[in-house]
Amino acid sequence: MRLGVAAKAKPETLKMTGAFLIHIRRFINHPWLGAIAKISLKNLAKRLRQRNSAIAPPVDKKNPNNTPHHSNLLNSMNWLYFSLAAATFESLRDVFSKIVTNKGDRPLDEYLVAWGLRAFTLIIYIPWLLLSPEPIPDIGKDFWWALLADATLSTVGGILYMRALRLGDLSLTVPLMGFSPLFLVLASPFTLGELPNNIQIISISLICLGAYFLNLKPKENNYFAPLLSIINTQSSRLMIIVAALWALTTSLDKIGAKNSSPLVFSAALYFCTALMMLPIVVVFSPNWFFQLRTNFSKLVLLGSLKAVDMWCHVTAVGLTVAANSVAVRQTSLLMGVGFGYLIFKEKNIRTRFFGSAIMVLGICLLTFS
């Protein structure tokens, strides 16, 4: 019955619509009624302009078109500058860490460097914390277990990270940290019950493809050699383990920051990590106290680079969406490849740079997905 009514009503609706359009056309073409309509429309447009001018800010006489000033554009792009600065200082920290563990008459071991990086960053970090608007916030119930778990994973990851830098090429090991967001996505079906979407699958493919090119040698005919190189090379193997640990600590960082504040949790994390690393340094680092005294300035410089890196990153996140800052900060992977060529004269730099660029593209897609 309803279909029959709709079928009968359809021609009538078309006739009414046609008649309505004819009346509108006659109304517009009428000499008097058309003129009245035009005047009414003009008055309506005038009132709308007056209303908008009352709401809008006053127009600058020197800039009547309200085009953005150069200073405003600079202020809106401050997050980009801070993000690039954070990436630069992060890359310089990796370069200097490799220098102090490989160069000189008495290179430092990874235990002392990993401990010194946390301890001296904490010393510089404390004044920043005390000068913050809320130096001691309310501590939530999940703060302490998140801190203990995060510090334990960070202790292991920090030592393995320094060992990977000491043993391997900078242009080969640092880009493998791009696997960290990949591990987060791969773990989401088990932790959050979420399956990767199409963009995330493409991002994962790009990261894996970039890692393949990192280990690709131009004159090698074996297509499986890059994959075997990742597994067989100790520095690459260690850095992938670190990337997996960092993926776990990301969730713990969020829990700790929500139950206190980002600054307080970071300071507490550095304190606990340095405290956990100290017995390891005493046991496994020979003449650690003598090395600490003779290389005090180097460790202070390492801590300063880390502290400035964190300050730039926190400032950038405060000025924009966190995903933007995180994506730009991934350029540190490309900087690491460049520094590896310029400072350490590492080889196969073209394929490694190409692989790193593909990984950065995958990480950026993953970040915005």
CSV table of all heavy atoms in Angstrom, one decimal, residues 74-83 311-322 324-325:
chain,number,residue,atom,x,y,z
A,74,LEU,N,55.5,33.4,12.8
A,74,LEU,CA,56.7,32.8,13.6
A,74,LEU,C,56.2,32.2,14.9
A,74,LEU,O,56.7,31.1,15.2
A,74,LEU,CB,57.7,33.9,13.9
A,74,LEU,CG,58.5,34.4,12.7
A,74,LEU,CD1,59.4,35.5,13.1
A,74,LEU,CD2,59.4,33.3,12.1
A,75,ASN,N,55.3,32.8,15.6
A,75,ASN,CA,54.8,32.3,16.8
A,75,ASN,C,54.0,31.0,16.6
A,75,ASN,O,54.1,30.0,17.4
A,75,ASN,CB,53.8,33.3,17.5
A,75,ASN,CG,54.6,34.5,18.0
A,75,ASN,OD1,55.8,34.4,18.3
A,75,ASN,ND2,53.9,35.6,18.1
A,76,SER,N,53.3,30.9,15.5
A,76,SER,CA,52.5,29.6,15.2
A,76,SER,C,53.5,28.5,14.8
A,76,SER,O,53.1,27.3,14.9
A,76,SER,CB,51.5,29.9,14.1
A,76,SER,OG,52.2,30.2,12.9
A,77,MET,N,54.7,28.8,14.4
A,77,MET,CA,55.6,27.8,14.0
A,77,MET,C,56.7,27.5,15.0
A,77,MET,O,57.6,26.7,14.8
A,77,MET,CB,56.4,28.2,12.7
A,77,MET,CG,55.4,28.4,11.5
A,77,MET,SD,54.6,26.8,11.0
A,77,MET,CE,56.0,25.9,10.4
A,78,ASN,N,56.5,28.0,16.2
A,78,ASN,CA,57.5,27.8,17.3
A,78,ASN,C,57.6,26.3,17.7
A,78,ASN,O,58.7,25.8,18.0
A,78,ASN,CB,57.1,28.6,18.5
A,78,ASN,CG,57.6,30.0,18.4
A,78,ASN,OD1,58.4,30.4,17.6
A,78,ASN,ND2,57.0,30.9,19.2
A,79,TRP,N,56.5,25.6,17.6
A,79,TRP,CA,56.5,24.2,17.9
A,79,TRP,C,57.4,23.4,17.0
A,79,TRP,O,58.1,22.4,17.4
A,79,TRP,CB,55.1,23.6,17.9
A,79,TRP,CG,54.6,23.5,16.5
A,79,TRP,CD1,53.8,24.4,15.8
A,79,TRP,CD2,54.7,22.4,15.6
A,79,TRP,NE1,53.5,23.9,14.6
A,79,TRP,CE2,54.0,22.7,14.4
A,79,TRP,CE3,55.4,21.1,15.7
A,79,TRP,CZ2,54.0,21.8,13.3
A,79,TRP,CZ3,55.3,20.3,14.6
A,79,TRP,CH2,54.7,20.6,13.4
A,80,LEU,N,57.5,23.8,15.7
A,80,LEU,CA,58.3,23.1,14.8
A,80,LEU,C,59.8,23.3,15.1
A,80,LEU,O,60.6,22.4,15.0
A,80,LEU,CB,58.0,23.6,13.4
A,80,LEU,CG,58.9,23.1,12.2
A,80,LEU,CD1,58.7,21.6,12.1
A,80,LEU,CD2,58.5,23.7,10.9
A,81,TYR,N,60.2,24.6,15.5
A,81,TYR,CA,61.5,24.9,15.8
A,81,TYR,C,62.0,24.1,17.1
A,81,TYR,O,63.1,23.5,17.1
A,81,TYR,CB,61.7,26.4,16.1
A,81,TYR,CG,61.3,27.2,14.9
A,81,TYR,CD1,60.6,28.4,15.1
A,81,TYR,CD2,61.5,26.8,13.6
A,81,TYR,CE1,60.2,29.2,14.1
A,81,TYR,CE2,61.1,27.6,12.5
A,81,TYR,CZ,60.4,28.8,12.8
A,81,TYR,OH,60.0,29.6,11.7
A,82,PHE,N,61.1,24.0,18.1
A,82,PHE,CA,61.4,23.3,19.3
A,82,PHE,C,61.5,21.8,19.0
A,82,PHE,O,62.4,21.1,19.6
A,82,PHE,CB,60.4,23.6,20.4
A,82,PHE,CG,60.6,24.9,21.1
A,82,PHE,CD1,59.8,25.9,20.9
A,82,PHE,CD2,61.7,25.0,22.0
A,82,PHE,CE1,60.0,27.1,21.6
A,82,PHE,CE2,61.9,26.2,22.7
A,82,PHE,CZ,61.0,27.3,22.5
A,83,SER,N,60.7,21.3,18.1
A,83,SER,CA,60.7,19.8,17.8
A,83,SER,C,62.0,19.5,17.1
A,83,SER,O,62.6,18.5,17.3
A,83,SER,CB,59.5,19.5,17.0
A,83,SER,OG,58.3,19.7,17.7
A,311,TRP,N,63.5,19.4,27.5
A,311,TRP,CA,62.9,20.7,27.6
A,311,TRP,C,62.3,21.1,26.3
A,311,TRP,O,61.2,21.6,26.3
A,311,TRP,CB,63.9,21.7,28.2
A,311,TRP,CG,63.3,23.1,28.3
A,311,TRP,CD1,62.5,23.5,29.3
A,311,TRP,CD2,63.4,24.2,27.4
A,311,TRP,NE1,62.1,24.8,29.1
A,311,TRP,CE2,62.7,25.2,27.9
A,311,TRP,CE3,64.1,24.3,26.2
A,311,TRP,CZ2,62.6,26.5,27.3
A,311,TRP,CZ3,64.0,25.5,25.5
A,311,TRP,CH2,63.3,26.6,26.1
A,312,CYS,N,63.0,21.0,25.2
A,312,CYS,CA,62.5,21.3,23.9
A,312,CYS,C,61.3,20.5,23.5
A,312,CYS,O,60.3,21.0,23.0
A,312,CYS,CB,63.6,21.2,22.8
A,312,CYS,SG,65.0,22.4,23.0
A,313,HIS,N,61.4,19.2,23.8
A,313,HIS,CA,60.2,18.3,23.5
A,313,HIS,C,59.0,18.7,24.3
A,313,HIS,O,57.9,18.8,23.7
A,313,HIS,CB,60.6,16.9,23.7
A,313,HIS,CG,59.5,15.9,23.5
A,313,HIS,ND1,59.0,15.7,22.2
A,313,HIS,CD2,58.8,15.1,24.3
A,313,HIS,CE1,58.0,14.8,22.3
A,313,HIS,NE2,57.9,14.4,23.6
A,314,VAL,N,59.1,18.9,25.6
A,314,VAL,CA,58.0,19.3,26.4
A,314,VAL,C,57.4,20.6,26.0
A,314,VAL,O,56.2,20.8,25.9
A,314,VAL,CB,58.4,19.3,27.9
A,314,VAL,CG1,57.3,19.9,28.7
A,314,VAL,CG2,58.7,17.9,28.4
A,315,THR,N,58.3,21.6,25.6
A,315,THR,CA,57.8,22.9,25.1
A,315,THR,C,57.0,22.7,23.8
A,315,THR,O,56.0,23.4,23.6
A,315,THR,CB,59.0,23.8,25.0
A,315,THR,OG1,59.7,23.9,26.2
A,315,THR,CG2,58.5,25.2,24.6
A,316,ALA,N,57.6,21.9,22.9
A,316,ALA,CA,56.9,21.7,21.6
A,316,ALA,C,55.6,21.1,21.8
A,316,ALA,O,54.6,21.5,21.1
A,316,ALA,CB,57.8,20.9,20.7
A,317,VAL,N,55.5,20.1,22.6
A,317,VAL,CA,54.2,19.4,22.9
A,317,VAL,C,53.1,20.4,23.5
A,317,VAL,O,52.0,20.3,23.2
A,317,VAL,CB,54.4,18.2,23.8
A,317,VAL,CG1,53.0,17.6,24.3
A,317,VAL,CG2,55.2,17.1,23.1
A,318,GLY,N,53.6,21.3,24.3
A,318,GLY,CA,52.7,22.3,24.9
A,318,GLY,C,52.2,23.3,23.9
A,318,GLY,O,51.2,24.0,24.1
A,319,LEU,N,52.9,23.5,22.7
A,319,LEU,CA,52.5,24.5,21.7
A,319,LEU,C,51.7,23.9,20.6
A,319,LEU,O,51.2,24.6,19.7
A,319,LEU,CB,53.8,25.1,21.1
A,319,LEU,CG,54.6,26.0,22.1
A,319,LEU,CD1,55.9,26.4,21.4
A,319,LEU,CD2,53.8,27.2,22.5
A,320,THR,N,51.6,22.6,20.5
A,320,THR,CA,50.9,22.0,19.3
A,320,THR,C,50.3,20.6,19.8
A,320,THR,O,50.5,20.2,21.0
A,320,THR,CB,51.8,21.8,18.1
A,320,THR,OG1,51.0,21.3,17.0
A,320,THR,CG2,52.9,20.8,18.4
A,321,VAL,N,49.7,19.9,18.8
A,321,VAL,CA,49.3,18.5,19.1
A,321,VAL,C,50.5,17.6,19.3
A,321,VAL,O,51.5,17.8,18.6
A,321,VAL,CB,48.4,18.0,17.9
A,321,VAL,CG1,47.9,16.6,18.2
A,321,VAL,CG2,47.3,19.0,17.7
A,322,ALA,N,50.4,16.7,20.2
A,322,ALA,CA,51.6,15.9,20.5
A,322,ALA,C,52.0,15.1,19.3
A,322,ALA,O,53.2,14.9,19.1
A,322,ALA,CB,51.2,14.9,21.6
A,324,ASN,N,52.1,15.9,16.2
A,324,ASN,CA,53.0,16.8,15.3
A,324,ASN,C,54.4,16.8,15.8
A,324,ASN,O,55.4,16.6,15.0
A,324,ASN,CB,52.5,18.2,15.3
A,324,ASN,CG,51.1,18.3,14.6
A,324,ASN,OD1,50.7,17.3,13.9
A,324,ASN,ND2,50.4,19.4,14.8
A,325,SER,N,54.6,17.0,17.1
A,325,SER,CA,55.9,17.1,17.7
A,325,SER,C,56.7,15.8,17.6
A,325,SER,O,57.8,15.7,17.3
A,325,SER,CB,55.9,17.6,19.1
A,325,SER,OG,57.1,17.6,19.7
